[in-house]
Amino acid sequence: MATIGADRSLAQASISSHNLPLVRRLEAVGFRAWPAASVQYDGSWQVRLTAGHPSNRLNSIVPLDPSDHRDVEIRLEKASRKFEAYGRAAVVRQTPLASPVLIELLRQQNWTQFDETVVMTCDLAEAALPDTLDHLPTHDVGRFVDANLAVERAPLSLKPALAEIISAIKPPSGLFMIENAVDGPLATVLCVQDNDLAGIMSLSVSEARRREGLGTEILTSALRWARMRSARSAWLQVKLSNRPAIALYERLGFRDAYHYCYWQRGPR
């Protein structure tokens, strides 16, 4: 187990380079902005499960304390069995709050790493939002869900679960859409305002209408709405491979806060 000690020292050096209080706060508001149907705790680990929706954010083991690695192998096996009961392969979400001992165990057990994601933040007081057409949010959850599924070309079978997730969000939320009578829904975004933080969720633009400024237009509307409601900072999550989206966010003033990824356990 000497390799664990070596990797632990490297990971601890990486952890120390992060603003862990900020990471903890963004993780907490992220949980409230995208609530799982079932949440159980094992020490500082959060086990999130949502039977009706495949989102990894809703179906993962989330460690929340880098020093919590007591009985790590036993606890990982116990949490994995909860996923098996749902008919799912276990997934671990690795943020800067994950124990290096746990991550080394995942490597030793041949778990697979995937979907590296960057969490970005923006100071809304300093953001130079472009002068675009403004859109007001709707309060019709069903209409928004229909639009979001259409834009993302997602199966209609996800509608009940997605509607339940959005309806379960406790902080004030703005549901934004761009649509027209000919093409139907073109873009959607969900903005969740949690006190002074505004979370940008599910930003989607129709594949046939990308690079026309619709993403900028709808995102700017959501950020203006949040700023008028006294939000001071905005945050979002985007896959590292999605370079066009990252370029858009950077133009609006978003900067990297931290990265996370997932680990998946294969069939046993």
Side-chain angles (χ1 to χ4, degrees), residues 188-207:
T188 63
V189 71
L190 164 64
C191 183
V192 181
Q193 185 184 348
D194 197 328
N195 295 310
D196 62 325
L197 292 175
I200 299 298
M201 316 289 293
S202 300
L203 174 61
S204 302
V205 177
S206 173
E207 187 174 359

Side-chain angles (χ1 to χ4, degrees), residues 77-93:
E77 181 64 24
K78 179 181 176 182
S80 296
R81 293 198 181 280
K82 295 182 187 297
F83 282 77
E84 291 175 1
Y86 273 68
R88 297 180 182 274
V91 171
V92 173
R93 187 164 180 261

Side-chain angles (χ1 to χ4, degrees), residues 88-134:
R88 297 180 182 274
V91 171
V92 173
R93 187 164 180 261
Q94 180 190 352
T95 74
L97 302 178
S99 165
V101 177
L102 171 61
I103 302 309
E104 176 57 23
L105 177 62
L106 298 179
R107 292 193 181 98
Q108 291 184 354
Q109 293 187 352
N110 296 317
W111 287 53
T112 303
Q113 187 179 23
F114 66 102
D115 275 0
E116 185 173 359
T117 300
V118 56
V119 179
M120 307 179 75
T121 59
C122 173
D123 184 340
L124 289 177
E126 299 295 329
L129 300 180
D131 185 17
T132 59
L133 181 65
D134 210 7

Side-chain angles (χ1 to χ4, degrees), residues 209-227:
R209 300 294 298 273
R210 290 175 185 169
R211 297 178 178 83
E212 296 181 13
L214 293 175
T216 300
E217 185 175 310
I218 197 167
L219 177 56
T220 300
S221 293
L223 294 177
R224 283 201 195 101
W225 174 83
R227 189 161 65 180

Side-chain angles (χ1 to χ4, degrees), residues 30-61:
F31 296 150
R32 292 192 290 269
W34 204 239
S38 169
V39 179
Q40 301 176 42
Y41 283 89
D42 181 353
S44 65
W45 294 10
Q46 193 178 94
V47 181
R48 298 165 58 81
L49 284 161
T50 304
H53 200 282
S55 166
N56 288 312
R57 282 187 286 179
L58 299 174
N59 296 278
S60 52
I61 303 161

Side-chain angles (χ1 to χ4, degrees), residues 159-265:
K159 180 176 179 177
L162 185 55
E164 184 176 356
I165 291 163
I166 293 175
S167 298
I169 298 171
K170 299 299 184 184
S173 302
L175 309 174
F176 293 84
M177 302 181 296
I178 297 177
E179 56 186 351
N180 64 38
V182 176
D183 302 309
L186 301 176
T188 63
V189 71
L190 164 64
C191 183
V192 181
Q193 185 184 348
D194 197 328
N195 295 310
D196 62 325
L197 292 175
I200 299 298
M201 316 289 293
S202 300
L203 174 61
S204 302
V205 177
S206 173
E207 187 174 359
R209 300 294 298 273
R210 290 175 185 169
R211 297 178 178 83
E212 296 181 13
L214 293 175
T216 300
E217 185 175 310
I218 197 167
L219 177 56
T220 300
S221 293
L223 294 177
R224 283 201 195 101
W225 174 83
R227 189 161 65 180
M228 286 190 298
R229 294 176 56 86
S230 301
R232 297 172 60 188
S233 299
W235 63 272
L236 53 81
Q237 305 175 11
V238 56
K239 289 184 181 180
L240 197 60
S241 59
N242 192 348
R243 303 310 304 179
I246 291 174
L248 164 62
Y249 302 145
E250 289 177 340
R251 285 198 300 273
L252 293 181
F254 283 86
R255 298 294 180 262
D256 290 15
Y258 63 96
H259 289 208
Y260 70 82
C261 66
Y262 294 99
W263 295 79
Q264 185 170 47
R265 185 177 211 164

